[in-house]
Amino acid sequence: MLEIGSKAPEFCAKNQDDVEIHSRDLKGKWIVLYFYPKDLTPGCTTEACEFTANEPEFDDLDAVILGVSPDDTAKHRKFIEKKELTITLLSDEDKKMCEDFGIWQLKKFMGKEYMGVVRSTFIINPKGEIAALWTKVKVKGHVEAVKEKLKQLQSK
């Protein structure tokens, strides 16, 4: 598992418009990288809508919000259009980002075990290091907590 202070894994993934987003192109910026299981599901929709609603405040903090799930780019486009999202969603169909960030894990639901995304958020500082992280995120109040932590980190 990644730790605070460790170098964030490099990534390159297509967004909802099939444009590749590379971590190297975001150096010098704060990145809020959040992983979620699936587009158009209740918890994931709430989280995406809250990040969208708070995007102007993250912009003021010079932070880029990137949501990541194993869904394909077409499903991301549908999610964005249906819920009027303004944030960028990255497609991780091969689960490479999920594996690199250590959040593709064995999960249990109703007695069944399966591999899946553990809802997690990483704040990556302008040097490309993990500055904060949350795993097994509960959606309620999470976006606010991320915003407050980002403000705290920037005030140091």
Side-chain angles (χ1 to χ4, degrees):
M1 190 67 185
L2 295 171
E3 296 176 358
I4 291 173
S6 63
K7 192 87 175 136
E10 293 285 320
F11 61 85
C12 185
K14 288 186 178 180
N15 72 4
Q16 66 276 358
D17 300 318
D18 290 313
V19 174
E20 284 194 342
I21 305 294
H22 299 272
S23 54
R24 68 174 179 260
D25 298 332
L26 299 171
K27 288 272 192 287
K29 285 192 158 293
W30 289 87
I31 302 169
V32 174
L33 187 68
Y34 82 94
F35 291 85
Y36 64 98
K38 194 170 174 57
D39 290 341
L40 295 164
T41 56
C44 299
T45 297
T46 298
E47 189 174 27
C49 289
E50 286 184 13
F51 270 118
T52 290
N54 285 275
E55 190 176 29
E57 292 174 68
F58 282 98
D59 285 346
D60 290 345
L61 295 167
D62 197 31
V64 177
I65 301 168
L66 299 173
V68 183
S69 85
D71 292 308
D72 64 27
T73 57
K75 189 138 186 230
H76 282 342
R77 267 193 306 281
K78 184 178 173 186
F79 187 26
I80 284 172
E81 289 165 8
K82 188 168 185 174
K83 298 300 177 181
E84 298 180 356
L85 304 175
T86 58
I87 58 174
T88 297
L89 300 178
L90 301 180
S91 177
D92 187 30
E93 286 184 88
D94 63 4
K95 290 123 186 131
K96 179 169 178 13
M97 284 181 71
C98 291
E99 288 172 355
D100 288 350
F101 279 84
I103 57 91
W104 185 252
Q105 298 176 11
L106 187 65
K107 297 171 79 173
K108 291 180 183 177
F109 183 68
M110 295 179 70
K112 292 187 179 180
E113 290 187 342
Y114 63 97
M115 293 300 289
V117 174
V118 174
R119 187 183 307 275
S120 305
T121 302
F122 298 83
I123 295 178
I124 302 171
N125 69 20
K127 294 183 217 160
E129 302 161 340
I130 305 289
L133 62 96
W134 294 261
T135 58
K136 298 182 182 168
V137 166
K138 300 289 180 237
V139 173
K140 188 172 173 65
H142 178 62
V143 171
E144 197 59 40
V146 172
K147 194 169 43 175
E148 289 310 309
K149 183 66 174 178
L150 183 59
K151 287 177 184 174
Q152 180 188 343
L153 289 165
Q154 290 183 353
S155 68
K156 289 183 179 179

